[in-house]
Amino acid sequence: MKKMHVLLVLLWLALPVLTFAQSKKDLAAAKEVEALERQRFEAQVKKDYAVLEKVFADDLVYTHSNGKQNNKQEYIQSIRDGKSQYDKIDVEALNVRAYNDGKAAVVNGTITITLPNKPDGSPNLAYLKYVVVQVKNPKKGWQVVLWQSQKQPEAKS
């Protein structure tokens, strides 16, 4: 019984170390990154290249839902060339977890992208789940260093 009591006391003392609650800096960073994610999607739709140049890190790895990868310059050029076209991006779900005193964030979510209509004129929608890693650069602010997406089945009406 005494061993059990000692074990419980040790567990109680270790509990603060074992909890993974986010710090105030992490919580503030998570809110900031969530807003920036929405702004980035808007910039992709509006082809706001100044914003895109700022929010994507120079060492960006952008993996499309078909598996093709781009670096920062290739991805932004694909928007300029019309290879990556977005008429609308709707955020269906968005979860941000910040780490390292608000210096890194992992984002996962679900989006619906409205693309230009198909050749027969019917709507062209892409349903994606995605993961983003953002880091806070002391001089440039939050930047996306990794994007990875996966197509999801079409939503049932």
Side-chain angles (χ1 to χ4, degrees), residues 102-153:
K103 294 179 186 139
V106 176
V107 182
N108 65 292
T110 307
I111 56 175
T112 301
I113 301 175
T114 303
L115 304 158
N117 285 344
K118 295 177 182 176
D120 66 2
S122 63
N124 190 4
L125 301 174
Y127 304 96
L128 303 178
K129 285 190 178 183
Y130 72 94
V131 176
V132 170
V133 176
Q134 291 202 27
V135 295
K136 191 167 190 178
N137 181 309
K139 294 179 183 174
K140 299 179 181 180
W142 285 102
Q143 292 191 306
V144 175
V145 294
L146 176 74
W147 164 275
Q148 172 80 49
S149 62
Q150 180 181 18
K151 285 185 183 175
Q152 299 300 297

Side-chain angles (χ1 to χ4, degrees), residues 6-22:
V6 170
L7 185 59
L8 287 174
V9 169
L10 287 174
L11 183 59
W12 180 77
L13 290 172
L15 197 55
V17 175
L18 297 175
T19 59
F20 295 101
Q22 290 189 311

Side-chain angles (χ1 to χ4, degrees), residues 26 36 93 99 105:
D26 287 342
L36 291 170
Y99 300 95

